Amino acid sequence: MTESSAVYRRRRIAAIVGAAVAAALIVFAITQLTGSNAAEPSKGGAPRAEATPKPKPAAELPRGGRTILPDFRVVAYYGAPQDKQLGALGIGSPTQMTKKLERQAQPYARKTRPILPAMELIAVVAAAHPGDGDRYNLRQPDSVIRRYLKAARKAKALLILDIQPGRSDFFTETKRLRKWLKEPDVGLALDPEWRMAPGQIPGEVIGSVSAREVNATSAWLDQLVTHYNLPQKLLLVHEFTDDMVPEAQLKPRKGLAYVMNVDGFGGQALKIAKYKGFAGQDQQFRRGFKLFYQEDQGMMSPAQVMRLQPRPDVVVYE
């Protein structure tokens, strides 16, 4: 055998071995990707077709459907467990409050428009002391939010996370709550009364917020709804003075049930006049109305609230 023939044979053997190895690797890869029986014919002689996975159904609201407004009228309890002075929601256990909430909400139900109860938990509580990072707020631990979400789900109610930012801002505090807000039954509330400028202390002055900050926050929340294919998400913005929120500059969002909630306690005539004043400003947002068990002078009944024009889409009890 000549040297050239020997070289040729060695090269050929190497090529055959290489091809065999390559083929083995391809078969192994196919087996791993499709299963060891993928190449085996079925008893009928034709290859077995793989089952098409069923698409995951779109998440719905606690009482069905994917649209909050105008399909439902939302009735909420507001507060936090740290102190009953923070609102009705903090009086008693979350489970006890859902039962009281259901009773309070029933007079607002109509055959053509059922009620959707909600628990508005103050997830970020404004504080008179600097605290961590000089934020002048206290953030609820996950364990508290989880407890209220569990109770809300048991009652087929929404959980609304309310933000009193202190010297922080709504955008920062909202993004922190992302893991909760990506749930289909968790909404958001912004409380500009407690949005402090540098040097201001919660409780000493009435706060306010820029349209830019609210628009950035609502845009982020709307994107979250789109990304996770969530049902319409409730966004409440509380207001009780004309300069608290520049409403005319706010942008509506397709994925949000966007509600301007008329806040503030007082006598019936004052509250009705304030509601009419805010309701007449802009028609691009839904309207809410807040009642106070302790501070209102002669708290309005559900029948009186339902005589307001336009009828509130959201009613909050503190």
Side-chain angles (χ1 to χ4, degrees):
M1 181 183 298
T2 64
E3 183 177 351
S4 60
S5 298
V7 171
Y8 172 79
R9 282 178 60 83
R10 285 197 298 271
R11 287 178 178 174
R12 184 173 176 83
I13 291 170
I16 292 172
V17 171
V21 171
L25 289 173
I26 292 171
V27 171
F28 176 78
I30 293 173
T31 301
Q32 293 300 306
L33 290 172
T34 63
S36 59
N37 297 325
E40 294 180 9
S42 63
K43 292 182 179 179
R48 287 198 301 265
E50 292 188 15
T52 303
K54 293 182 179 179
K56 187 178 179 181
E60 292 194 346
L61 296 165
R63 302 199 175 189
R66 287 175 55 84
T67 303
I68 299 174
L69 302 177
D71 291 4
F72 295 92
R73 178 166 283 107
V74 178
V75 181
Y77 267 180
Y78 173 101
Q82 283 78 10
D83 194 323
K84 64 181 182 181
Q85 298 299 321
L86 292 173
L89 189 62
I91 303 173
S93 70
T95 301
Q96 290 172 332
M97 294 318 299
T98 58
K99 294 176 181 178
K100 290 183 179 180
L101 172 60
E102 188 72 37
R103 290 195 296 270
Q104 180 65 79
Q106 281 307 315
Y108 293 97
R110 297 293 184 270
K111 289 182 180 180
T112 56
R113 193 174 185 186
I115 53 100
L116 179 56
M119 305 171 77
E120 187 175 346
L121 172 68
I122 310 175
V124 182
V125 186
H129 302 285
D132 293 341
D134 292 332
R135 298 190 315 267
Y136 283 82
N137 71 36
L138 300 171
R139 294 166 173 170
Q140 294 284 9
D142 284 353
S143 58
V144 171
I145 297 176
R146 189 177 297 111
R147 184 156 52 99
Y148 278 86
L149 180 56
K150 181 179 179 181
R153 285 178 170 169
K154 186 176 180 180
K156 294 185 178 180
L158 292 176
L159 177 66
I160 305 169
L161 300 180
D162 182 272
I163 297 176
Q164 300 177 354
R167 288 192 193 172
S168 183
D169 62 85
F170 287 119
F171 188 72
T172 298
E173 298 299 330
T174 297
K175 288 182 68 177
R176 278 194 62 260
L177 297 170
R178 184 180 187 276
K179 73 176 180 180
W180 305 108
L181 291 170
K182 70 180 184 179
E183 296 295 323
D185 49 356
V186 179
L188 179 69
L190 310 181
D191 215 339
E193 175 187 359
W194 304 101
R195 170 63 167 97
M196 300 291 106
Q200 294 180 338
I201 296 176
E204 294 185 2
V205 295
I206 295 174
S208 62
V209 66
S210 68
R212 181 180 181 181
E213 185 173 322
V214 177
N215 286 336
T217 304
S218 66
W220 181 88
L221 189 63
D222 189 48
Q223 290 169 3
L224 197 72
V225 171
T226 301
H227 181 77
Y228 288 101
N229 190 26
L230 299 174
Q232 187 184 51
K233 190 170 288 291
L234 185 63
L235 173 62
L236 286 179
V237 180
H238 294 285
E239 60 179 350
F240 63 86
T241 64
D242 292 333
D243 58 352
M244 188 172 285
V245 186
E247 188 173 327
Q249 300 173 39
L250 301 183
K251 298 178 181 179
R253 304 295 180 189
K254 184 178 179 180
L256 305 182
Y258 206 143
V259 179
M260 303 302 295
N261 191 66
V262 180
D263 207 329
F265 54 83
Q268 293 185 11
L270 176 62
K271 290 177 71 76
I272 292 171
K274 185 173 291 187
Y275 180 80
K276 287 181 178 179
F278 279 114
Q281 287 184 10
D282 201 317
Q283 304 302 317
Q284 64 179 337
F285 300 110
R286 297 280 179 171
R287 294 293 158 181
F289 192 63
K290 193 171 185 182
L291 298 163
F292 293 77
Y293 284 114
Q294 301 299 325
E295 290 87 356
D296 276 350
Q297 299 160 21
M299 191 180 77
M300 294 170 64
S301 68
Q304 290 174 307
V305 173
M306 292 294 278
R307 285 198 288 269
L308 292 171
Q309 292 298 325
R311 284 181 174 176
D313 294 288
V314 176
V315 181
V316 180
Y317 284 87
E318 179 173 328

